[in-house]
Amino acid sequence: MKIAGTDLDVFGLCLGTNIFGWTADEPESFAVLDAYAAAGGNFIDTADVYSVWADGHQGGESETVIGQWLEARGNRDEFVIATKVGAMGGLSPANIGERIDASLRRLHTDRIDLYYAHRDDPEMALEETLTALDAQVRAGKVRYIAASNYTPERLAEALAVSERDGLARFVALSPHYNLVERTYETALAELCARHNISCVPYYALAKGFLSGKYRAGQPVESSRGRLDGSAYLDDRGLRVLSALDETAAAHRTTVAAVALAWLLAQPTVIAPIASARTPEQLAELLPMAELALTDAELERLSAD
Ligand SMILES: NC(=O)c1ccc[n+]([C@@H]2O[C@H](COP(=O)([O-])OP(=O)(O)OC[C@H]3O[C@@H](n4cnc5c(N)ncnc54)[C@H](OP(=O)(O)O)[C@@H]3O)[C@@H](O)[C@H]2O)c1
């Protein structure tokens, strides 16, 4: 499906990569990337900040792994590469100018297909940030720009500034959105629909919870530490799991595939972002691409 208003034609599952260089080392990351590519995947999500939270990391570890892989496989042109700026150092023109060159170097590429403002920078006037991003588009270093973690008010303001000043506009929004995080469905979804902005939701598996591996009283195999999905194991989480279990059984598929197919079926969503630590985990996500849920199933899954 094409990202609205662009020529970027993307696979229905965007591969999350904040775990590359963190819970997946380089050979494991290469194996996941190879499996994703073999399945027809072409949409990779990273950020300059990944994975600064891990011991001894400074950010750039994920971009570095992806760059090494693109170079080793010689397949850069087959992928839509999305990366982000702003989580480290904000969205000033100076920070954007510096960090984009570092991202390009690490990714072994001369252009970023989708460049996200990672989160709003309340210290910066939107005019300044958008003028700086627009300059990167004009310089050919960026194809399209996008936003992540913006409030509806600031996103609307940013779109108005782009329109007024003739600057590149955000074509996509990446919000925190999945079956157990539904805030997007209020004002942001309406705004995206009205302005023809594609939604690319992150944490699509609720940090692993929607894989179905978190069950009451059972040990979980995860490498994510405090960033795992255990917090969702409450009454509501259990109801969501039960709807997922029934739907997955009806389609003889995985819980993860149902959770991702549900997201893909929501208005404005074009590709959920999820990560997999191994090719085996990825294999449980991929059936989402062919899974058609009925209206009744979508309604039941949405009920909570
Ligand atoms: N824009 C933003 O601000 C923002 C913020 C966060 C993330 N993101 C993006 O969104 C992507 C997705 O988020 P995420 O990776 O943190 O979380 P996620 O996709 O919600 O959950 C992925 C985790 O679930 C587990 N998992 C995946 N498939 C599984 C399976 N089949 N069986 C069992 N466990 C499975 C793995 O962790 P374990 O096996 O180790 O438990 C995996 O790391 C990130 O990689 C990043 O690209 C963007």
Side-chain angles (χ1 to χ4, degrees):
M1 203 184 285
K2 284 212 171 123
I3 295 179
T6 78
D7 59 358
L8 302 178
D9 202 352
V10 296
F11 189 67
L13 173 66
C14 179
L15 187 66
T17 68
N18 63 6
I19 62 166
F20 289 178
W22 171 38
T23 68
D25 64 16
E26 187 176 292
E28 287 162 341
S29 305
F30 274 33
V32 169
L33 283 161
D34 283 336
Y36 176 71
N42 74 339
F43 190 16
I44 297 177
D45 183 83
T46 185
D48 63 347
V49 71
Y50 300 163
S51 46
V52 78
W53 53 86
D55 275 352
H57 285 201
Q58 294 163 354
E61 289 80 10
S62 166
E63 288 182 337
T64 299
V65 169
I66 295 163
Q68 303 281 16
W69 181 79
L70 291 171
E71 182 147 285
R73 302 294 183 261
N75 57 4
R76 163 65 184 98
D77 293 347
E78 291 160 33
F79 288 86
V80 173
I81 305 288
T83 192
K84 314 185 192 77
V85 64
M88 290 190 296
L91 292 172
S92 68
N95 195 49
I96 292 171
E98 234 171 76
R99 290 194 183 269
I100 193 167
D101 287 333
S103 285
L104 289 168
R105 266 196 306 279
R106 285 189 291 263
L107 287 164
H108 288 287
T109 184
D110 58 356
R111 73 209 181 272
I112 290 158
D113 299 301
L114 195 60
Y115 199 40
Y116 284 98
H118 202 151
R119 57 172 180 237
D120 190 14
D121 181 349
E123 304 293 307
M124 282 312 298
L126 287 164
E127 283 82 353
E128 286 205 56
T129 296
L130 287 163
T131 302
L133 292 171
D134 181 74
Q136 302 301 339
V137 175
R138 288 174 196 265
K141 294 182 186 180
V142 167
R143 302 278 329 279
Y144 299 97
I145 63 168
S148 185
N149 303 308
Y150 273 59
T151 62
E153 294 74 24
R154 285 280 280 185
L155 181 60
E157 209 182 318
L159 293 169
V161 168
S162 292
E163 168 107 30
R164 186 197 66 203
D165 295 353
L167 300 169
R169 77 191 278 275
F170 293 139
V171 297
L173 175 73
S174 188
H176 187 178
Y177 180 32
N178 59 49
L179 262 170
V180 286
E181 295 281 354
R182 309 269 298 274
T183 313
Y184 171 76
E185 291 175 2
T186 49
L188 280 172
E190 193 273 329
L191 192 66
C192 287
R194 185 149 37 94
H195 291 277
N196 199 24
I197 291 177
S198 293
C199 175
V200 188
Y202 71 79
Y203 282 154
L205 290 174
K207 307 175 187 171
F209 178 74
L210 297 171
S211 72
K213 72 178 170 184
Y214 292 82
R215 302 285 172 170
Q218 285 179 27
V220 164
E221 198 225 322
S222 174
S223 315
R224 298 175 58 95
R226 67 183 173 80
L227 285 173
D228 78 356
S230 51
Y232 293 109
L233 199 49
D234 55 13
D235 287 349
R236 177 179 172 224
L238 289 173
R239 287 195 300 273
V240 170
L241 280 183
S242 141
L244 282 168
D245 285 338
E246 273 176 35
T247 314
H251 288 270
R252 295 177 204 275
T253 190
T254 62
V255 163
V258 175
L260 296 172
W262 175 86
L263 256 181
L264 190 55
Q266 302 311 306
T268 70
V269 173
I270 58 144
I273 313 173
S275 73
R277 187 162 42 91
T278 62
E280 292 72 27
Q281 285 191 347
L282 182 69
E284 290 198 11
L285 316 189
L286 288 167
M288 61 85 73
E290 281 91 45
L291 185 56
L293 300 173
T294 65
D295 287 347
E297 287 167 338
L298 289 169
E299 212 171 291
R300 160 117 166 79
L301 289 161
S302 301
D304 263 291

